[in-house]
Amino acid sequence: MLRLSKLTDYAVVVLTRLEEAEDGGVLTAPGLAAATGLGEPTVAKVLKILSHAGLVEGRRGAAGGYRLARPLAEMPLTDVIAAIDGPIALTACVDNSIGLCDAEATCPVRGRWDPVNDAIRRALSGISIADLARVPAIVPHPDVVAAE
Amino acid sequence: MLRLSKLTDYAVVVLTRLEEAEDGGVLTAPGLAAATGLGEPTVAKVLKILSHAGLVEGRRGAAGGYRLARPLAEMPLTDVIAAIDGPIALTACVDNSIGLCDAEATCPVRGRWDPVNDAIRRALSGISIADLARVPAIVPHPDVVAAE
DNA sequence: GCAATCAGGACCCGATTGGTACGGATTGCA
DNA sequence: TGCAATCCGTACCAATCGGGTCCTGATTGC
C-alpha cells in the first residue's frame, strides 16, 4: 500500500507533543506516553531512534528527558522517515546500488525507479513536521457530514 | 522503507514487454515469463491483477493471451500502484476514513497525513509507465565508475 | 473432443514489523 | 556517598503481511 511504518506515525505525534511543551524544559518518555496515549515502551523506542538520528536530544539522569534538537519548522518530513523507515526508495534496489540483487545482470528494472524516487523525495522535502502539526487532528469526514 | 511491493515492479516490466511486442497480437503468460526472466506463476498472478484492474485485456482459449488495454503513455503510474498495492495512502488510516481504528476518538494523527498523501499523489500522477520504460535499464553506478 | 490458455481462489513459507524486556550508564539530590 | 530516576543499547518474541506456488474451473480455436 505504499505505506510507511506506524513508528513514523508515532514519531510525528511525539515530536508535535514535544514542541507544544517546549519552554526550555524536557519531557520524559513516560510523560510523553501518557500525553499521547501510546504505550510507554513504544514511545521510548521511538525517542531512542529519533535521538540517534539527532532529531531530539536526550538528557540522562534524575531530571532528564527529551527536547527537540531544532524547531519542527526546520525539520523536514524526510528526516523523520529516513530515521525510522530508512532511506526513501520505493524498491528494494536502492537507486543504482549494486551487489544486492541476485539476478542483477538480467534484472530488467535496474535504475528504472530512480525518477519516481526523485519525484517523491521532492514532494516530501517541501513538507516539515510543523506543516503536519498544523493540520487539525480531528477533521469531519464528508460521509459523516452528509449523513447528518 | 516507504517501499512498494515487488509485484508492482514486475508489473512495470511486464507492461513494458507487452508494449514492445505490440503488433496487434497477444502475448501469453508463459511467453512473458520467459521474456522477462520472472517466474511463470508470478507473471500469471501479476497479469491477472492487471487484467482485473483493466490495464490489460486477457483473451482466453487456445490462441489467447494478453494485450495492453491502452498505450503506456496514457497509463499513469498511480493506476498500476493502485491496482497492485491498493489505494495510495501512507498510513493504515486512509485519509479520513472512520471506523477502522480502535482508538479513533483519541488518535492524535487522524487526518494529519492527508497533505502528504496528496503531495505524493501529485508527484506520481505526472509519471506514466512509458516514462519508466524510457529509462535505460542498466545505468552505470557512480561507485563502479570511480572504481575503474 | 482435445489442447491451450486465462480466471479465480486457497494455501504455505519466509521476512518484516510492532511491541516487550532486560541490564547498564548517567545524572541530580538527599 | 548512596539512592532514585532517567536515558541507552541490545536482544527477543509474537503477529502480520507479502511473495510465491498450486489446483480447479471456464473459455476458445483447431
Side-chain angles (χ1 to χ4, degrees):
Chain A
M1 303 186 201
L2 195 74
R3 71 155 62 127
L4 47 82
S5 67
K6 285 185 182 177
L7 275 298
T8 306
D9 206 342
Y10 299 159
V12 172
V13 177
V14 170
L15 287 172
T16 303
R17 197 71 185 81
L18 263 180
E19 180 166 70
E20 288 177 2
E22 180 73 11
D23 56 347
V26 295
L27 287 180
T28 68
L32 281 169
T36 57
L38 302 174
E40 180 173 328
T42 302
V43 170
K45 186 176 193 173
V46 169
L47 286 168
K48 274 182 277 193
I49 297 175
L50 293 177
S51 172
H52 196 71
L55 299 181
V56 302
E57 294 172 354
R59 177 188 181 88
R60 295 203 267 196
Y66 289 96
R67 66 182 188 88
L68 292 177
R70 57 181 186 273
L72 293 188
E74 303 172 9
M75 196 179 293
L77 176 61
T78 50
D79 284 9
V80 180
I81 295 178
I84 301 200
D85 287 339
I88 295 179
L90 274 71
T91 55
C93 307
V94 180
D95 288 308
N96 281 324
S97 60
I98 284 186
L100 301 176
C101 186
D102 51 350
E104 190 171 75
T106 62
C107 178
V109 288
R110 287 226 311 105
R112 193 155 291 190
W113 289 96
D114 290 358
V116 182
N117 290 330
D118 292 341
I120 289 192
R121 290 200 191 96
R122 273 196 302 271
L124 260 49
S125 63
I127 302 179
S128 75
I129 308 299
D131 295 330
L132 290 182
R134 209 173 299 141
V135 175
I138 303 297
V139 181
H141 193 273
D143 294 351
V144 174
V145 175
E148 286 172 352
Chain B
M1 303 186 200
L2 194 74
R3 70 156 62 125
L4 48 83
S5 67
K6 285 186 182 178
L7 275 298
T8 306
D9 205 341
Y10 300 158
V12 172
V13 177
V14 170
L15 288 172
T16 303
R17 196 71 185 80
L18 263 180
E19 179 167 70
E20 290 178 1
E22 180 73 13
D23 56 347
V26 296
L27 287 180
T28 69
L32 280 169
T36 56
L38 303 173
E40 181 173 326
T42 302
V43 170
K45 185 175 192 173
V46 169
L47 286 168
K48 275 183 275 193
I49 297 174
L50 294 178
S51 173
H52 196 73
L55 300 181
V56 302
E57 293 173 354
R59 178 190 181 86
R60 295 201 266 197
Y66 289 96
R67 67 182 187 87
L68 293 177
R70 56 181 186 272
L72 293 189
E74 303 172 10
M75 196 180 293
L77 177 60
T78 50
D79 283 10
V80 179
I81 295 178
I84 300 201
D85 287 337
I88 294 180
L90 274 70
T91 55
C93 308
V94 180
D95 288 310
N96 281 325
S97 59
I98 284 185
L100 300 175
C101 187
D102 50 350
E104 192 171 76
T106 62
C107 178
V109 289
R110 287 225 313 105
R112 193 156 291 191
W113 288 97
D114 290 359
V116 183
N117 290 332
D118 290 341
I120 289 191
R121 289 199 192 97
R122 274 195 302 272
L124 260 49
S125 62
I127 301 178
S128 73
I129 308 300
D131 295 330
L132 290 182
R134 208 173 297 141
V135 176
I138 303 297
V139 181
H141 192 273
D143 295 349
V144 174
V145 176
E148 289 173 351

Short mmCIF file of all heavy atoms in Angstrom, two decimals, chain A residues 24-94:
data_model
loop_
_atom_site.label_atom_id
_atom_site.label_comp_id
_atom_site.label_asym_id
_atom_site.label_seq_id
_atom_site.Cartn_x
_atom_site.Cartn_y
_atom_site.Cartn_z
N GLY A 24 11.79 25.30 27.15
CA GLY A 24 13.18 25.17 27.58
C GLY A 24 13.42 23.92 28.38
O GLY A 24 14.55 23.49 28.56
N GLY A 25 12.33 23.34 28.90
CA GLY A 25 12.48 22.14 29.71
C GLY A 25 12.46 20.88 28.88
O GLY A 25 12.47 20.93 27.65
N VAL A 26 12.43 19.76 29.56
CA VAL A 26 12.42 18.48 28.88
C VAL A 26 11.18 17.70 29.28
O VAL A 26 10.55 17.97 30.30
CB VAL A 26 13.68 17.66 29.22
CG1 VAL A 26 14.92 18.35 28.70
CG2 VAL A 26 13.77 17.43 30.73
N LEU A 27 10.83 16.72 28.46
CA LEU A 27 9.73 15.82 28.76
C LEU A 27 10.27 14.40 28.84
O LEU A 27 11.10 14.00 28.03
CB LEU A 27 8.65 15.90 27.67
CG LEU A 27 7.79 17.18 27.68
CD1 LEU A 27 6.77 17.11 26.56
CD2 LEU A 27 7.10 17.34 29.02
N THR A 28 9.79 13.65 29.78
CA THR A 28 10.27 12.27 29.94
C THR A 28 9.48 11.34 29.03
O THR A 28 8.37 11.65 28.60
CB THR A 28 10.11 11.80 31.39
OG1 THR A 28 8.72 11.69 31.68
CG2 THR A 28 10.74 12.79 32.35
N ALA A 29 10.06 10.19 28.77
CA ALA A 29 9.39 9.20 27.93
C ALA A 29 8.07 8.75 28.55
O ALA A 29 7.05 8.68 27.85
CB ALA A 29 10.32 8.01 27.68
N PRO A 30 8.05 8.45 29.84
CA PRO A 30 6.76 8.07 30.45
C PRO A 30 5.75 9.20 30.35
O PRO A 30 4.56 8.95 30.10
CB PRO A 30 7.13 7.78 31.91
CG PRO A 30 8.58 7.43 31.87
CD PRO A 30 9.16 8.27 30.79
N GLY A 31 6.21 10.43 30.55
CA GLY A 31 5.30 11.56 30.44
C GLY A 31 4.73 11.70 29.05
O GLY A 31 3.52 11.94 28.88
N LEU A 32 5.55 11.52 28.04
CA LEU A 32 5.09 11.62 26.66
C LEU A 32 4.12 10.49 26.33
O LEU A 32 3.15 10.69 25.59
CB LEU A 32 6.28 11.58 25.70
CG LEU A 32 7.04 12.90 25.56
CD1 LEU A 32 8.35 12.68 24.81
CD2 LEU A 32 6.18 13.92 24.83
N ALA A 33 4.40 9.33 26.89
CA ALA A 33 3.50 8.21 26.64
C ALA A 33 2.11 8.52 27.20
O ALA A 33 1.10 8.29 26.54
CB ALA A 33 4.06 6.93 27.28
N ALA A 34 2.07 9.08 28.39
CA ALA A 34 0.78 9.42 29.00
C ALA A 34 0.08 10.51 28.21
O ALA A 34 -1.13 10.48 28.02
CB ALA A 34 1.00 9.85 30.45
N ALA A 35 0.86 11.46 27.70
CA ALA A 35 0.27 12.59 26.99
C ALA A 35 -0.26 12.18 25.62
O ALA A 35 -1.24 12.75 25.12
CB ALA A 35 1.31 13.70 26.84
N THR A 36 0.37 11.19 25.00
CA THR A 36 -0.04 10.80 23.66
C THR A 36 -0.98 9.61 23.65
O THR A 36 -1.62 9.34 22.64
CB THR A 36 1.19 10.45 22.80
OG1 THR A 36 1.92 9.41 23.46
CG2 THR A 36 2.10 11.66 22.65
N GLY A 37 -1.03 8.89 24.74
CA GLY A 37 -1.89 7.72 24.78
C GLY A 37 -1.26 6.49 24.17
O GLY A 37 -1.91 5.48 23.99
N LEU A 38 0.02 6.58 23.86
CA LEU A 38 0.71 5.43 23.27
C LEU A 38 1.38 4.62 24.38
O LEU A 38 1.50 5.07 25.52
CB LEU A 38 1.77 5.91 22.28
CG LEU A 38 1.24 6.79 21.13
CD1 LEU A 38 2.38 7.34 20.29
CD2 LEU A 38 0.27 6.00 20.27
N GLY A 39 1.80 3.43 24.03
CA GLY A 39 2.47 2.59 25.01
C GLY A 39 3.82 3.16 25.41
O GLY A 39 4.54 3.70 24.58
N GLU A 40 4.13 3.01 26.68
CA GLU A 40 5.37 3.61 27.18
C GLU A 40 6.62 3.02 26.53
O GLU A 40 7.50 3.76 26.10
CB GLU A 40 5.43 3.46 28.70
CG GLU A 40 6.69 4.05 29.30
CD GLU A 40 6.65 4.03 30.83
OE1 GLU A 40 5.54 4.14 31.38
OE2 GLU A 40 7.71 3.87 31.44
N PRO A 41 6.73 1.69 26.42
CA PRO A 41 7.93 1.14 25.76
C PRO A 41 8.04 1.57 24.30
O PRO A 41 9.14 1.80 23.80
CB PRO A 41 7.72 -0.38 25.87
CG PRO A 41 6.73 -0.57 26.96
CD PRO A 41 5.85 0.64 26.92
N THR A 42 6.90 1.68 23.65
CA THR A 42 6.91 2.08 22.24
C THR A 42 7.41 3.52 22.10
O THR A 42 8.23 3.83 21.23
CB THR A 42 5.50 1.95 21.65
OG1 THR A 42 5.08 0.60 21.78
CG2 THR A 42 5.50 2.35 20.20
N VAL A 43 6.89 4.39 22.95
CA VAL A 43 7.34 5.78 22.91
C VAL A 43 8.83 5.86 23.17
O VAL A 43 9.56 6.61 22.51
CB VAL A 43 6.56 6.63 23.93
CG1 VAL A 43 7.18 8.00 24.08
CG2 VAL A 43 5.10 6.74 23.51
N ALA A 44 9.29 5.07 24.13
CA ALA A 44 10.72 5.07 24.44
C ALA A 44 11.53 4.63 23.22
O ALA A 44 12.59 5.20 22.93
CB ALA A 44 10.99 4.15 25.62
N LYS A 45 11.02 3.64 22.53
CA LYS A 45 11.73 3.16 21.34
C LYS A 45 11.81 4.24 20.27
O LYS A 45 12.86 4.46 19.67
CB LYS A 45 11.01 1.93 20.79
CG LYS A 45 11.71 1.26 19.64
CD LYS A 45 10.97 0.00 19.23
CE LYS A 45 11.80 -0.86 18.31
NZ LYS A 45 11.14 -2.16 18.04
N VAL A 46 10.69 4.90 20.06
CA VAL A 46 10.66 5.96 19.05
C VAL A 46 11.65 7.07 19.42
O VAL A 46 12.41 7.56 18.58
CB VAL A 46 9.23 6.53 18.93
CG1 VAL A 46 9.24 7.80 18.10
CG2 VAL A 46 8.31 5.49 18.31
N LEU A 47 11.64 7.44 20.68
CA LEU A 47 12.53 8.52 21.11
C LEU A 47 14.00 8.12 20.96
O LEU A 47 14.83 8.95 20.60
CB LEU A 47 12.23 8.87 22.57
CG LEU A 47 10.93 9.65 22.78
CD1 LEU A 47 10.57 9.71 24.25
CD2 LEU A 47 11.07 11.06 22.20
N LYS A 48 14.29 6.87 21.22
CA LYS A 48 15.67 6.41 21.06
C LYS A 48 16.11 6.53 19.60
O LYS A 48 17.22 6.97 19.30
CB LYS A 48 15.79 4.97 21.55
CG LYS A 48 16.06 4.88 23.04
CD LYS A 48 16.23 3.44 23.50
CE LYS A 48 14.89 2.78 23.75
NZ LYS A 48 15.02 1.49 24.48
N ILE A 49 15.22 6.14 18.71
CA ILE A 49 15.56 6.23 17.28
C ILE A 49 15.74 7.68 16.88
O ILE A 49 16.71 8.03 16.19
CB ILE A 49 14.45 5.56 16.44
CG1 ILE A 49 14.36 4.07 16.77
CG2 ILE A 49 14.72 5.76 14.97
CD1 ILE A 49 13.22 3.36 16.09
N LEU A 50 14.82 8.52 17.32
CA LEU A 50 14.92 9.94 16.96
C LEU A 50 16.18 10.57 17.55
O LEU A 50 16.81 11.43 16.92
CB LEU A 50 13.67 10.69 17.45
CG LEU A 50 12.36 10.30 16.77
CD1 LEU A 50 11.20 11.07 17.39
CD2 LEU A 50 12.42 10.56 15.28
N SER A 51 16.52 10.14 18.75
CA SER A 51 17.73 10.66 19.37
C SER A 51 18.96 10.25 18.58
O SER A 51 19.88 11.05 18.37
CB SER A 51 17.82 10.15 20.81
OG SER A 51 19.07 10.50 21.39
N HIS A 52 18.96 9.01 18.14
CA HIS A 52 20.09 8.51 17.37
C HIS A 52 20.24 9.29 16.06
O HIS A 52 21.34 9.47 15.55
CB HIS A 52 19.89 7.02 17.08
CG HIS A 52 21.14 6.34 16.64
ND1 HIS A 52 22.19 6.07 17.48
CD2 HIS A 52 21.52 5.88 15.42
CE1 HIS A 52 23.16 5.46 16.81
NE2 HIS A 52 22.78 5.32 15.55
N ALA A 53 19.11 9.71 15.51
CA ALA A 53 19.13 10.45 14.25
C ALA A 53 19.40 11.94 14.46
O ALA A 53 19.53 12.69 13.50
CB ALA A 53 17.80 10.26 13.52
N GLY A 54 19.47 12.35 15.73
CA GLY A 54 19.78 13.75 16.00
C GLY A 54 18.58 14.67 15.90
O GLY A 54 18.74 15.89 15.84
N LEU A 55 17.38 14.12 15.89
CA LEU A 55 16.18 14.97 15.80
C LEU A 55 15.74 15.45 17.17
O LEU A 55 15.14 16.51 17.31
CB LEU A 55 15.05 14.19 15.11
CG LEU A 55 15.37 13.76 13.67
CD1 LEU A 55 14.19 13.02 13.06
CD2 LEU A 55 15.75 14.95 12.82
N VAL A 56 16.01 14.65 18.19
CA VAL A 56 15.75 15.07 19.57
C VAL A 56 17.04 14.85 20.37
O VAL A 56 17.91 14.08 19.96
CB VAL A 56 14.59 14.29 20.22
CG1 VAL A 56 13.32 14.45 19.42
CG2 VAL A 56 14.95 12.83 20.37
N GLU A 57 17.10 15.52 21.51
CA GLU A 57 18.27 15.37 22.36
C GLU A 57 17.83 14.81 23.71
O GLU A 57 16.95 15.37 24.36
CB GLU A 57 18.97 16.72 22.55
CG GLU A 57 19.59 17.25 21.25
CD GLU A 57 20.11 18.65 21.42
OE1 GLU A 57 19.89 19.24 22.51
OE2 GLU A 57 20.74 19.16 20.47
N GLY A 58 18.45 13.70 24.09
CA GLY A 58 18.12 13.09 25.36
C GLY A 58 19.10 13.51 26.44
O GLY A 58 20.29 13.67 26.18
N ARG A 59 18.55 13.71 27.61
CA ARG A 59 19.40 14.07 28.74
C ARG A 59 19.15 13.06 29.85
O ARG A 59 18.03 12.89 30.31
CB ARG A 59 19.05 15.49 29.22
CG ARG A 59 19.84 15.92 30.45
CD ARG A 59 19.29 17.27 30.97
NE ARG A 59 20.04 17.73 32.12
CZ ARG A 59 21.14 18.48 32.06
NH1 ARG A 59 21.62 18.83 30.88
NH2 ARG A 59 21.77 18.86 33.16
N ARG A 60 20.20 12.41 30.27
CA ARG A 60 20.04 11.35 31.27
C ARG A 60 20.05 11.92 32.69
O ARG A 60 20.36 13.08 32.91
CB ARG A 60 21.17 10.33 31.10
CG ARG A 60 21.08 9.61 29.78
CD ARG A 60 21.80 8.29 29.85
NE ARG A 60 23.17 8.42 29.40
CZ ARG A 60 23.94 7.38 29.07
NH1 ARG A 60 23.44 6.18 29.12
NH2 ARG A 60 25.19 7.54 28.69
N GLY A 61 19.73 11.05 33.59
CA GLY A 61 19.76 11.44 34.99
C GLY A 61 18.39 11.63 35.58
O GLY A 61 17.36 11.43 34.93
N ALA A 62 18.39 12.03 36.82
CA ALA A 62 17.14 12.14 37.58
C ALA A 62 16.19 13.14 36.95
O ALA A 62 15.01 12.89 36.80
CB ALA A 62 17.45 12.52 39.03
N ALA A 63 16.70 14.30 36.56
CA ALA A 63 15.86 15.33 35.95
C ALA A 63 15.99 15.31 34.44
O ALA A 63 15.87 16.33 33.76
CB ALA A 63 16.24 16.71 36.50
N GLY A 64 16.25 14.12 33.88
CA GLY A 64 16.48 14.00 32.45
C GLY A 64 15.20 14.02 31.65
O GLY A 64 14.11 14.22 32.20
N GLY A 65 15.33 13.80 30.36
CA GLY A 65 14.18 13.82 29.47
C GLY A 65 14.62 14.12 28.05
O GLY A 65 15.80 14.03 27.72
N TYR A 66 13.67 14.48 27.22
CA TYR A 66 13.97 14.78 25.82
C TYR A 66 13.52 16.19 25.48
O TYR A 66 12.57 16.71 26.05
CB TYR A 66 13.24 13.79 24.91
CG TYR A 66 13.79 12.39 24.95
CD1 TYR A 66 13.21 11.42 25.76
CD2 TYR A 66 14.88 12.03 24.17
CE1 TYR A 66 13.71 10.13 25.79
CE2 TYR A 66 15.38 10.73 24.19
CZ TYR A 66 14.79 9.79 25.00
OH TYR A 66 15.27 8.52 25.02
N ARG A 67 14.23 16.78 24.54
CA ARG A 67 13.77 18.04 23.96
C ARG A 67 14.14 18.04 22.49
O ARG A 67 15.02 17.30 22.04
CB ARG A 67 14.38 19.23 24.68
CG ARG A 67 15.88 19.36 24.51
CD ARG A 67 16.40 20.56 25.32
NE ARG A 67 17.81 20.83 25.04
CZ ARG A 67 18.20 21.62 24.03
NH1 ARG A 67 17.31 22.16 23.23
NH2 ARG A 67 19.49 21.84 23.83
N LEU A 68 13.45 18.89 21.73
CA LEU A 68 13.69 18.95 20.30
C LEU A 68 15.09 19.48 20.01
O LEU A 68 15.57 20.41 20.67
CB LEU A 68 12.66 19.87 19.63
CG LEU A 68 11.21 19.36 19.62
CD1 LEU A 68 10.31 20.40 18.99
CD2 LEU A 68 11.11 18.05 18.87
N ALA A 69 15.74 18.89 19.02
CA ALA A 69 17.06 19.37 18.62
C ALA A 69 16.94 20.68 17.86
O ALA A 69 17.84 21.52 17.89
CB ALA A 69 17.77 18.33 17.77
N ARG A 70 15.82 20.85 17.17
CA ARG A 70 15.56 22.10 16.42
C ARG A 70 14.06 22.22 16.21
O ARG A 70 13.33 21.24 16.35
CB ARG A 70 16.31 22.09 15.09
CG ARG A 70 15.99 20.91 14.19
CD ARG A 70 16.80 21.01 12.91
NE ARG A 70 16.46 20.00 11.93
CZ ARG A 70 17.01 18.79 11.89
NH1 ARG A 70 17.90 18.45 12.77
NH2 ARG A 70 16.66 17.93 10.95
N PRO A 71 13.60 23.43 15.89
CA PRO A 71 12.15 23.63 15.71
C PRO A 71 11.58 22.71 14.63
O PRO A 71 12.29 22.35 13.68
CB PRO A 71 12.04 25.10 15.29
CG PRO A 71 13.29 25.73 15.80
CD PRO A 71 14.35 24.68 15.75
N LEU A 72 10.32 22.35 14.80
CA LEU A 72 9.68 21.45 13.84
C LEU A 72 9.61 22.05 12.44
O LEU A 72 9.60 21.33 11.45
CB LEU A 72 8.27 21.09 14.32
CG LEU A 72 8.19 20.25 15.59
CD1 LEU A 72 6.76 19.81 15.82
CD2 LEU A 72 9.11 19.04 15.49
N ALA A 73 9.57 23.37 12.38
CA ALA A 73 9.50 24.02 11.07
C ALA A 73 10.79 23.78 10.28
O ALA A 73 10.79 23.85 9.05
CB ALA A 73 9.26 25.52 11.25
N GLU A 74 11.86 23.51 10.98
CA GLU A 74 13.14 23.26 10.30
C GLU A 74 13.43 21.77 10.21
O GLU A 74 14.57 21.36 9.96
CB GLU A 74 14.28 23.96 11.06
CG GLU A 74 14.06 25.46 11.20
CD GLU A 74 15.10 26.09 12.12
OE1 GLU A 74 16.07 25.38 12.48
OE2 GLU A 74 14.94 27.26 12.48
N MET A 75 12.41 20.97 10.46
CA MET A 75 12.60 19.52 10.44
C MET A 75 11.78 18.92 9.30
O MET A 75 10.58 18.70 9.46
CB MET A 75 12.19 18.93 11.78
CG MET A 75 12.68 17.52 12.02
SD MET A 75 12.15 16.93 13.64
CE MET A 75 13.10 18.00 14.73
N PRO A 76 12.39 18.67 8.15
CA PRO A 76 11.62 18.11 7.03
C PRO A 76 11.13 16.71 7.33
O PRO A 76 11.77 15.95 8.06
CB PRO A 76 12.62 18.11 5.87
CG PRO A 76 13.96 18.14 6.52
CD PRO A 76 13.79 18.88 7.82
N LEU A 77 9.99 16.40 6.77
CA LEU A 77 9.40 15.08 6.98
C LEU A 77 10.34 13.97 6.52
O LEU A 77 10.35 12.87 7.09
CB LEU A 77 8.07 15.01 6.22
CG LEU A 77 7.33 13.68 6.23
CD1 LEU A 77 6.98 13.29 7.65
CD2 LEU A 77 6.10 13.76 5.37
N THR A 78 11.12 14.26 5.52
CA THR A 78 12.04 13.25 5.00
C THR A 78 13.03 12.80 6.07
O THR A 78 13.44 11.64 6.08
CB THR A 78 12.81 13.79 3.78
OG1 THR A 78 13.36 15.06 4.13
CG2 THR A 78 11.88 13.95 2.61
N ASP A 79 13.41 13.70 6.97
CA ASP A 79 14.35 13.33 8.03
C ASP A 79 13.74 12.28 8.95
O ASP A 79 14.41 11.32 9.34
CB ASP A 79 14.74 14.57 8.84
CG ASP A 79 15.74 15.44 8.09
OD1 ASP A 79 15.96 15.15 6.90
OD2 ASP A 79 16.28 16.38 8.68
N VAL A 80 12.49 12.48 9.30
CA VAL A 80 11.84 11.53 10.20
C VAL A 80 11.65 10.18 9.52
O VAL A 80 11.91 9.12 10.11
CB VAL A 80 10.48 12.09 10.67
CG1 VAL A 80 9.79 11.11 11.59
CG2 VAL A 80 10.68 13.42 11.35
N ILE A 81 11.22 10.22 8.27
CA ILE A 81 11.03 8.97 7.54
C ILE A 81 12.35 8.24 7.39
O ILE A 81 12.44 7.03 7.59
CB ILE A 81 10.40 9.25 6.16
CG1 ILE A 81 8.99 9.81 6.33
CG2 ILE A 81 10.36 7.99 5.32
CD1 ILE A 81 8.31 10.16 5.02
N ALA A 82 13.39 8.98 7.05
CA ALA A 82 14.70 8.36 6.87
C ALA A 82 15.21 7.78 8.18
O ALA A 82 15.84 6.72 8.20
CB ALA A 82 15.69 9.38 6.31
N ALA A 83 14.90 8.45 9.29
CA ALA A 83 15.38 8.00 10.59
C ALA A 83 14.72 6.67 10.97
O ALA A 83 15.37 5.78 11.49
CB ALA A 83 15.10 9.06 11.64
N ILE A 84 13.46 6.53 10.69
CA ILE A 84 12.72 5.37 11.16
C ILE A 84 12.58 4.29 10.10
O ILE A 84 12.80 3.12 10.36
CB ILE A 84 11.32 5.80 11.66
CG1 ILE A 84 11.51 6.81 12.79
CG2 ILE A 84 10.50 4.60 12.08
CD1 ILE A 84 10.34 6.96 13.67
N ASP A 85 12.23 4.70 8.90
CA ASP A 85 11.99 3.71 7.85
C ASP A 85 13.19 3.48 6.96
O ASP A 85 13.13 2.67 6.04
CB ASP A 85 10.80 4.15 6.98
CG ASP A 85 9.50 3.99 7.73
OD1 ASP A 85 9.47 3.20 8.67
OD2 ASP A 85 8.53 4.65 7.36
N GLY A 86 14.26 4.20 7.18
CA GLY A 86 15.41 4.04 6.32
C GLY A 86 15.33 4.96 5.11
O GLY A 86 14.42 5.78 5.01
N PRO A 87 16.27 4.83 4.20
CA PRO A 87 16.33 5.71 3.04
C PRO A 87 15.07 5.62 2.21
O PRO A 87 14.45 4.55 2.12
CB PRO A 87 17.55 5.21 2.26
CG PRO A 87 17.77 3.82 2.74
CD PRO A 87 17.32 3.80 4.18
N ILE A 88 14.68 6.72 1.63
CA ILE A 88 13.45 6.76 0.85
C ILE A 88 13.70 6.18 -0.53
O ILE A 88 14.32 6.79 -1.38
CB ILE A 88 12.94 8.21 0.74
CG1 ILE A 88 12.54 8.72 2.12
CG2 ILE A 88 11.77 8.28 -0.23
CD1 ILE A 88 12.04 10.13 2.12
N ALA A 89 13.26 4.95 -0.72
CA ALA A 89 13.38 4.30 -2.01
C ALA A 89 12.26 3.30 -2.12
O ALA A 89 12.08 2.46 -1.24
CB ALA A 89 14.73 3.61 -2.15
N LEU A 90 11.52 3.36 -3.21
CA LEU A 90 10.32 2.55 -3.32
C LEU A 90 10.62 1.07 -3.53
O LEU A 90 9.82 0.22 -3.21
CB LEU A 90 9.44 3.07 -4.46
CG LEU A 90 8.50 4.19 -4.04
CD1 LEU A 90 9.28 5.45 -3.78
CD2 LEU A 90 7.45 4.41 -5.09
N THR A 91 11.76 0.78 -4.10
CA THR A 91 12.07 -0.62 -4.37
C THR A 91 13.24 -1.07 -3.50
O THR A 91 13.96 -0.26 -2.93
CB THR A 91 12.42 -0.82 -5.84
OG1 THR A 91 13.48 0.06 -6.18
CG2 THR A 91 11.23 -0.51 -6.70
N ALA A 92 13.41 -2.37 -3.44
CA ALA A 92 14.48 -2.93 -2.63
C ALA A 92 15.84 -2.49 -3.17
O ALA A 92 16.77 -2.24 -2.41
CB ALA A 92 14.39 -4.45 -2.60
N CYS A 93 15.93 -2.39 -4.49
CA CYS A 93 17.18 -1.93 -5.09
C CYS A 93 17.25 -0.42 -4.97
O CYS A 93 16.64 0.31 -5.76
CB CYS A 93 17.24 -2.33 -6.57
SG CYS A 93 16.95 -4.09 -6.84
N VAL A 94 17.95 0.05 -3.97
CA VAL A 94 18.02 1.49 -3.74
C VAL A 94 18.81 2.14 -4.87
O VAL A 94 19.99 1.86 -5.05
CB VAL A 94 18.68 1.80 -2.40
CG1 VAL A 94 18.75 3.29 -2.18
CG2 VAL A 94 17.91 1.13 -1.28
#
